[in-house]
DNA sequence: CTTGACCTGTTATGATATTACATTCATAGA
DNA sequence: TCTATGAATGTAATATCATAACAGGTCAAG
């Protein structure tokens, strides 16, 4: 990473204290994200319907990734449709709108904690407590694009994920 | 990326001409990989059985990722067992031995073209022709670890994949 | 030749995801 | 206001990906 790239990362990236692992006022974190989601979809003319809103709320409850069927079972118990497309369509919408991310490693979905910020996310997945934190992947993505460019490959989308131990679980393990 | 990191990449990484996209003597590329696989497993005392060898050969036929069921259907037509565990177990073995990689994005598997080299792979996946090239991810992984360290997260395994257009398909598209 | 580890075959099931079509809902234009 | 239209949702059926559990076979060390 060059010095200028590091500075860019420092400007754009979340502070370490923003990360899911740190203690924080999660009720605020969650309602804030939901409010921003409403504003963003309204601005784009996209429709934040009840199912979609509820799915986002469910994802926001914890900093974990949920499978489509986990989400679906929650929806069913609240009177929404009980077939897979109900969950998959709402999740697809949220991902398209940048309000949620798909975690490839887990075949699961997590709410975006930086909605509207046009960020390059990496995901830090704790194998122990299953918390998923969204980290800044600008530098990693740049390195990947550099490598791709050597091959003449045009990068359109990237998947950058790390599996390991979060600070809390490291401490417990030690 | 620092200058020293760039140099490290240049030393360790494959030349651009090594990549799957470039024209190359693939018969040699393939038989060579198979020979190295035999040597590596022998050295480790692991058993390269007929199914396992055949699965590796199948993966080596092209620089693409194959799903477990694609592999399985090939095995069936050659007299091996026709149940999913037959394919999954052979693939699991190859991944454990570092002879193949799992491509998360595709739920599929590709032969490793740098077996035994202790590399940090990134995968460049062409959305058009489905070729999968293995690129050097040392720099990207280092950037990801730096970011993870800020959060106190201990990285154990990484998934670094890019979806996009390979040089050939870029040309055709243009 | 027995033992024990490992490998393979097979059944059954579970988990993830999509296609297709019918119905309902929101809203822009007549 | 009253449709026409496209969007969203509900539902059934199916496709795709993955693992658990157990039985039987192979092979080399003892
Ligand atoms: Zn939070
Ligand atoms: Zn944890
Ligand atoms: Zn080749
Ligand atoms: Zn291509």
């Amino acid at each position: 990473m060059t010095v200028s790239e590091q500075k860019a990362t420092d400007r754009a990236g979340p502070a370490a204290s923003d990360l899911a692992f740190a203690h924080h006022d999660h009720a605020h974190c969650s309602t804030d994200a939901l409010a921003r989601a409403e504003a963003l979809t309204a601005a784009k003319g996209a429709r934040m319907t009840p199912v979609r809103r509820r799915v986002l709320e469910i994802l926001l409850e914890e900093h974990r990734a949920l499978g489509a069927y986990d989400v679906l079972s929650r929806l069913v118990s609240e009177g929404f449709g009980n077939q897979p497309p109900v969950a998959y369509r709402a999740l697809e919408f949220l991902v398209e709108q940048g309000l949620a991310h798909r975690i490839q490693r887990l075949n699961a979905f997590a709410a975006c904690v930086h909605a509207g910020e046009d960020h390059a996310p990496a995901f830090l997945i704790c194998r122990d407590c299953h918390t998923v934190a969204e980290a800044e992947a600008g530098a990693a993505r740049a390195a990947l694009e550099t490598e791709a460019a050597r091959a003449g490959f045009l990068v359109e989308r990237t998947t950058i994920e790390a599996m390991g131990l979060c600070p809390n679980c490291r401490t417990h393990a030690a």
Side-chain angles (χ1 to χ4, degrees), chain A:
Chain A
M1 189 188 294
T2 64
V3 170
S4 64
E5 279 167 341
Q6 179 61 61
K7 279 181 182 164
T9 298
D10 287 345
R11 274 198 308 275
S17 59
D18 286 347
L19 285 163
F21 307 128
H23 293 296
H24 64 284
D25 180 350
H26 184 62
H28 177 274
C29 161
S30 177
T31 58
D32 186 51
L34 197 58
R36 259 178 304 138
E38 300 279 1
L40 285 164
T41 50
K44 287 198 228 175
R47 288 160 65 177
M48 179 59 88
T49 62
V51 217
R52 292 168 174 177
R53 181 179 298 106
R54 188 68 194 109
V55 170
L56 181 54
E57 285 171 1
I58 290 168
L59 293 183
L60 282 167
E61 284 174 8
E62 294 178 65
H63 290 287
R64 294 200 303 117
L66 295 183
Y69 282 76
D70 295 331
V71 169
L72 182 59
S73 67
R74 302 283 308 265
L75 292 177
V76 170
S77 68
E78 296 172 24
F80 294 99
N82 73 346
Q83 298 301 316
V86 174
Y88 280 103
R89 285 192 293 229
L91 289 165
E92 179 186 34
F93 171 85
L94 295 173
V95 170
E96 275 171 2
Q97 299 298 316
L99 303 175
H101 299 289
R102 178 173 196 131
I103 313 299
Q104 298 288 343
R105 204 52 198 238
L106 303 176
N107 291 326
F109 301 82
C112 176
V113 294
H114 304 296
E117 288 180 30
D118 187 31
H119 53 311
F123 299 99
L124 308 179
I125 307 162
C126 180
R127 68 166 155 82
D128 197 352
C129 67
H130 304 116
T131 295
V132 174
E134 197 173 332
E136 173 58 34
R141 183 174 163 135
L144 179 53
E145 291 201 1
T146 298
E147 199 60 35
R150 294 178 57 205
F153 185 94
L154 175 67
V155 174
E156 292 173 343
R157 308 166 63 91
T158 58
T159 298
I160 300 177
E161 299 174 356
M163 184 69 89
L165 280 181
C166 79
N168 304 323
C169 295
R170 277 174 89 170
T171 307
H172 295 164

